[in-house]
């Protein structure tokens, strides 16, 4: 497959750039990346989707170069949803489009799939389950979930760390390789880390990458994003495929049991064997097979 093209989008307060594989006019697969990754994280799945007739569009998250740092300093999930919709509007709707999200992109995709008037037909959510699915468990399941939480809190140590003042700003050189090793054991991430360094390797870029973690503690969401933002805490309305890697060192795959119970009709859940957190890079063919089967 040829090298991706570039799409430039000007949204209020931020300039966004996206990679584009495939033919414009085909149904759009809007692919949203997370941390610490970039739009190039979709490079191994994109050829399979393009061969099946999809136009793959993968924006760089706000603050991740070559997208700009937002003027309003907002990294709330509603802001990520807002950016995704601006990119999608620039590409143009076909009425048959889908959204695919991983990590922070998974949370944004959950919100887009929960919109009452979502422009998408289906969603794929990867590695971070919808928060509402984990909040709606019954009493018996609650006991099981409580048993999983101590180990998960240890896995999630970095969230509290990233919310500290000034210290995380001095940590990028050692923490990024460590997270890739821990989250996707055995995966050779050298190429991905080069892309990550290009995107958030400056002090300003690293602070932007910490922004979504710090926004989790922010009560007030800018008015521009507030309506969108509330939907990421809801269950998807669209038929959704949830995928999680078996060896994910970021979040346990055990949570998938409750996702399966919570998604709407026409949805599916799968744990991908021999894959960690970045399953679209580790097992691209299996991920593409599952995604395309779900879409068709």
């Amino acid at each position: 497959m040829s090298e991706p093209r570039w799409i430039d989008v000007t949204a209020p307060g931020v300039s966004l750039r996206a990679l584009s594989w495939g033919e414009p006019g085909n149904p759009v697969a809007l692919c949203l990346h997370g941390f610490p990754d970039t739009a190039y994280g979709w490079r191994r799945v994109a050829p399979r989707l393009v061969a099946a007739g999809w136009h793959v569009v993968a924006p760089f998250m706000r603050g991740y170069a070559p997208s700009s740092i937002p003027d309003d300093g907002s990294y709330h999930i509603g802001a990520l949803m807002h950016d995704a919709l601006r990119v999608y509007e620039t590409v143009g709707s076909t009425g048959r489009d889908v959204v695919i999200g991983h990590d922070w992109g998974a949370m944004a995709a959950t919100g887009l799939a929960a919109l009452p008037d979502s422009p998408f037909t289906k969603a794929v959510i990867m590695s971070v389950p919808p928060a509402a699915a984990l909040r709606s468990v019954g009493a018996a399941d609650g006991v099981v979930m409580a048993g999983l939480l101590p180990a998960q809190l240890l896995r999630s140590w970095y969230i509290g760390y990233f919310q500290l003042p000034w210290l995380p700003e001095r940590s990028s050189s050692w923490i990024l390789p460590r997270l890739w090793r821990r989250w996707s054991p055995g995966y050779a991430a050298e190429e991905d880390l080069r892309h990550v360094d290009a995107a958030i390797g400056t002090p300003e870029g690293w602070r932007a990458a910490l922004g979504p973690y710090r926004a989790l503690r922010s009560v007030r969401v800018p008015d521009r994003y507030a309506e969108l933002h509330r939907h990421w805490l809801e269950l998807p309305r669209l038929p959704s495929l949830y995928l999680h890697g078996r060896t994910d060192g970021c979040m346990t795959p055990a949570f998938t049991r409750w996702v399966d119970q919570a998604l709407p009709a026409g949805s599916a859940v799968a744990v991908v064997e021999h894959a960690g957190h970045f399953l679209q890079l580790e097992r691209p063919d299996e991920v593409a097979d599952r995604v395309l089967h779900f879409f068709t």
Side-chain angles (χ1 to χ4, degrees), residues 36-83:
D37 198 6
T38 71
Y40 285 108
W42 301 106
R43 67 188 183 277
R44 294 179 180 168
V45 170
R48 291 287 308 279
L49 300 184
V50 169
W54 292 90
H55 177 199
V56 177
V57 177
F60 284 77
M61 191 191 306
R62 56 172 49 202
Y64 283 65
S67 290
S68 72
I69 293 173
D71 293 346
D72 58 16
S74 175
Y75 295 95
H76 299 85
I77 295 169
L80 307 185
M81 295 167 62
H82 178 272
D83 292 348

Side-chain angles (χ1 to χ4, degrees), residues 19-224:
L19 300 176
S20 169
W21 293 269
E23 294 300 319
N26 286 350
V28 176
L30 183 66
C31 296
L32 309 176
H33 75 85
F35 172 91
D37 198 6
T38 71
Y40 285 108
W42 301 106
R43 67 188 183 277
R44 294 179 180 168
V45 170
R48 291 287 308 279
L49 300 184
V50 169
W54 292 90
H55 177 199
V56 177
V57 177
F60 284 77
M61 191 191 306
R62 56 172 49 202
Y64 283 65
S67 290
S68 72
I69 293 173
D71 293 346
D72 58 16
S74 175
Y75 295 95
H76 299 85
I77 295 169
L80 307 185
M81 295 167 62
H82 178 272
D83 292 348
L85 289 172
R86 298 293 82 75
V87 172
Y88 175 67
E89 289 169 1
T90 298
V91 175
S93 171
T94 71
R96 298 170 290 163
D97 309 316
V98 297
V99 60
I100 303 173
H102 175 259
D103 193 83
W104 285 110
M107 289 179 261
T110 295
L112 294 171
L115 293 177
D117 56 349
S118 179
F120 303 102
T121 60
K122 290 186 177 182
V124 179
I125 301 164
M126 299 166 58
S127 300
V128 177
L134 305 185
R135 293 201 314 268
S136 59
V137 301
D141 279 344
V143 173
V144 178
M145 181 178 287
L148 298 172
L149 289 180
Q152 182 56 53
L153 288 173
L154 288 174
R155 292 176 185 231
S156 301
W157 65 271
Y158 63 93
I159 297 176
Y161 178 72
F162 285 163
Q163 292 171 348
L164 295 174
W166 70 266
L167 184 60
E169 275 82 348
R170 292 157 173 78
S171 304
S172 62
S173 61
W174 65 265
I175 205 167
L176 290 173
R178 178 175 179 173
L179 291 179
W180 275 84
R181 288 195 303 271
R182 292 281 182 94
W183 291 1
S184 285
Y187 174 68
E190 289 81 4
E191 181 178 357
D192 301 280
L193 285 168
R194 287 195 295 271
H195 289 306
V196 170
D197 184 65
I200 57 174
T202 65
E204 296 79 11
W206 178 236
R207 281 194 294 272
L210 299 175
Y213 294 98
R214 292 168 172 175
L216 290 174
R217 301 184 65 177
S218 173
V219 175
R220 192 182 187 288
V221 180
D223 292 343
R224 181 183 295 161

Side-chain angles (χ1 to χ4, degrees), residues 280-291:
Q280 75 275 28
L281 286 161
E282 299 169 75
R283 304 287 289 178
D285 286 335
E286 181 174 352
V287 168
D289 286 343
R290 291 184 180 277
V291 168

